Amino acid sequence: MAGGLKVGFVRLMHYLQDPQHVARFQQLCGVRGTDTRDKLSNGVPGTRHGDVQNGGGDTTRRRPAGAETDREKRNNSLANGAAGENIARDNGDDAQGSAVKPLRRNSLTGDVGQEFIIENKFLFYLFTLGTELGNELFYISFFPFFMWNVDAYVSRRLVVVWVWVMYLGQCTKDVIRWPRPASPPVVKVEMFYNSEYSMPSTHAMSGTAIPLCLFLLTYGRWEYPLLLGLSLAISWCVLVCLSRIYMGMHSILDIIAGFLYSLLIVVVFSPALEIIDTFNCTHRYAPLIIISLHVGLGLFSFTLDTWSTSRGDTAQILGSGAGIALASHVNYHLGLLPDPPASMLPLQPPSFTLGLIGLCLLRFLLGVLILLATRAVMKALTIPLVCWLFGIPSGDVRKARQHMEVELPYRYIVYGTVGLNALFLVPFLFAQVGLL
């Protein structure tokens, strides 16, 4: 009986991991590939550099950029020429005119990907929005906006959950080491994260944890309809999860695992949020422990695999979390962004007037400019300094950052400073000029 259940479970896992399901969903949504580079002239699938390959059940290391053999280059060149002829013959000029490439190249290999055709532009823009809800641009916009204009109390605790969810998700990827869905049959609508491992989907994890925790932390603290909050949280989660399948980045199994894994982390950490936030704000040794903990977690994650974008992202997330936790401590002792007394709860959302909207936008624009300037200045200072300290040539910045000695302190210091400035320096300056 137990053996039959185990076999059935394994079959279900293989079924959910099948890239054909991803390809069918893409076709249903109007995504059609034009790439024949992945097939040789005799119909045998070729190997695309930059993808994580899985042969015989064992996942191998990522192939470095430019690692194609001469034979592969000749085959790819022939296949590309055939692709152009086939597209022109089968699809006509109109189809050729609608063919596009992924918006961003692969962040590790520089691969720009192959052309594909979008037959439903509404779904393309919708799922592009959904996938951006799990990218750096969203995080550096959403969290500061919420801190400066809505509720610093909620944002502090939300960041704690986000850091743990993303950290555990990235580390789990580098332990399991499952490849991305195979292409073909999947169309790679996005290439940026294509060199990272696939299981679980950290987009699905953040797309589940952020809206869920946002609802749990605000409902009862703010007055709004229960159905509205639940609807927004569910819509957010579904949009992000489906967007990763649409982009060809994850299998259905990756998404389900990320969703369930995120729920588990939220259930475990939610009761501890009060303790963690109070410790960060009030304990005299909090700054030392915050720095030590986040550095230690970063060092551990850097031992899990060879260099990849996921390692840098993990250090970046830990640095941001450390900076915001340190800012919480500073703000508490300076009385900046104080939490409203319990007698004022639940809070009522203010009336949306042109003046309020203009003030929120002004805070956001000025604050983001400060954060972008902080990031630019710290990157310009930190990378050469760290390279000099460890004797690593800094001429090729991209190559230098692949050394752990450079990547960890660079990401940690830069984004730690950005996090500190987001919750402390920017509100402090706003208070000085009367914008709070």
Side-chain angles (χ1 to χ4, degrees):
M1 181 69 177
L5 289 175
K6 182 178 179 181
V7 171
F9 179 77
V10 171
R11 287 178 178 173
L12 177 62
M13 296 299 101
H14 284 298
Y15 176 80
L16 294 175
Q17 197 182 11
D18 189 347
Q20 291 290 349
H21 300 314
V22 179
R24 291 191 192 102
F25 180 77
Q26 290 182 312
Q27 292 166 8
L28 182 66
C29 295
V31 178
R32 186 155 52 89
T34 64
D35 182 18
T36 60
R37 186 183 70 168
D38 295 298
K39 293 185 178 180
L40 305 183
S41 56
N42 60 2
V44 179
T47 302
R48 177 181 301 182
H49 78 273
D51 284 351
V52 182
Q53 302 299 329
N54 190 321
D58 296 324
T59 304
T60 59
R61 296 284 185 177
R62 299 173 180 84
R63 295 180 64 183
E68 291 176 310
T69 64
D70 292 338
R71 181 180 179 183
E72 286 175 329
K73 290 178 180 178
R74 288 194 300 270
N75 288 329
N76 287 341
S77 177
L78 292 172
N80 281 332
E85 294 174 2
N86 291 335
I87 293 169
R89 180 175 61 251
D90 297 337
N91 301 320
D93 294 336
D94 292 339
Q96 273 192 312
S98 63
V100 295
K101 281 195 174 185
L103 298 178
R104 296 184 297 172
R105 66 180 61 197
N106 188 296
S107 56
L108 177 62
T109 67
D111 192 351
V112 297
Q114 294 300 295
E115 289 186 343
F116 50 86
I117 294 174
I118 299 297
E119 297 175 341
N120 190 322
K121 290 188 177 181
F122 171 76
L123 290 180
F124 173 71
Y125 292 124
L126 178 65
F127 287 127
T128 297
L129 171 65
T131 204
E132 285 300 324
L133 293 178
N135 290 339
E136 179 185 354
L137 179 61
F138 168 74
Y139 297 138
I140 205 172
S141 303
F142 173 75
F143 288 128
F145 182 89
F146 207 88
M147 293 171 189
W148 305 331
N149 295 304
V150 184
D151 196 333
Y153 170 92
V154 172
S155 65
R156 295 197 310 263
R157 298 174 182 225
L158 190 61
V159 167
V160 170
V161 175
W162 170 70
V163 169
W164 279 105
V165 163
M166 295 299 292
Y167 174 76
L168 292 174
Q170 294 284 21
C171 288
T172 304
K173 277 185 179 183
D174 285 339
V175 170
I176 297 177
R177 302 184 183 184
W178 282 9
R180 298 282 183 182
S183 176
V186 172
V187 177
K188 298 292 184 178
V189 180
E190 177 187 284
M191 287 294 297
F192 189 74
Y193 296 108
N194 196 46
S195 296
E196 292 185 11
Y197 295 119
S198 181
M199 176 69 168
S201 167
T202 48
H203 268 77
M205 292 180 69
S206 67
T208 301
I210 291 177
L212 176 60
C213 286
L214 198 58
F215 171 71
L216 295 175
L217 291 169
T218 56
Y219 187 71
R221 179 177 173 84
W222 287 84
E223 288 188 354
Y224 62 83
L226 173 65
L227 188 59
L228 175 63
L230 278 175
S231 300
L232 290 175
I234 293 173
S235 299
W236 184 332
C237 177
V238 171
L239 178 60
V240 174
C241 290
L242 290 181
S243 73
R244 302 312 288 162
I245 301 177
Y246 178 91
M247 294 291 168
M249 287 289 100
H250 288 286
S251 67
I252 297 175
L253 181 60
D254 298 337
I255 298 299
I256 294 175
F259 172 77
L260 296 177
Y261 194 12
S262 184
L263 286 182
L264 176 63
I265 296 171
V266 170
V267 168
V268 170
F269 275 92
S270 289
L273 285 179
E274 179 71 31
I275 298 173
I276 295 172
D277 188 54
T278 302
F279 174 84
N280 289 342
C281 292
T282 62
H283 199 279
R284 62 182 299 183
Y285 295 117
L288 178 62
I289 295 175
I290 288 169
I291 294 173
S292 302
L293 175 64
H294 288 77
V295 169
L297 292 173
L299 288 171
F300 172 77
S301 69
F302 268 57
T303 63
L304 295 177
D305 192 24
T306 56
W307 186 89
S308 71
T309 53
S310 65
R311 294 200 330 182
D313 291 343
T314 303
Q316 183 172 312
I317 291 164
L318 289 171
S320 302
I324 290 172
L326 290 173
S328 303
H329 186 82
V330 175
N331 287 356
Y332 176 82
H333 289 282
L334 294 181
L336 188 63
L337 295 177
D339 299 329
S343 59
M344 293 181 60
L345 302 179
L347 302 172
Q348 294 186 351
S351 301
F352 289 97
T353 63
L354 289 178
L356 177 62
I357 295 174
L359 179 61
C360 290
L361 290 176
L362 181 60
R363 288 175 185 160
F364 177 71
L365 293 175
L366 292 177
V368 167
L369 286 176
I370 294 172
L371 296 186
L372 292 177
T374 299
R375 187 177 67 169
V377 170
M378 293 304 298
K379 284 176 70 173
L381 294 176
T382 305
I383 295 178
L385 176 61
V386 175
C387 288
W388 175 77
L389 287 175
F390 290 97
I392 296 172
S394 60
D396 188 342
V397 175
R398 184 174 178 177
K399 186 175 181 180
R401 284 168 48 184
Q402 295 184 15
H403 293 269
M404 187 181 80
E405 299 87 347
V406 175
E407 183 80 352
L408 182 58
Y410 147 65
R411 296 270 191 170
Y412 192 86
I413 293 172
V414 170
Y415 287 92
T417 307
V418 170
L420 178 67
N421 286 355
L423 190 56
F424 164 64
L425 179 62
V426 172
F428 176 79
L429 294 177
F430 286 168
Q432 299 302 309
V433 298
L435 287 179
L436 279 183

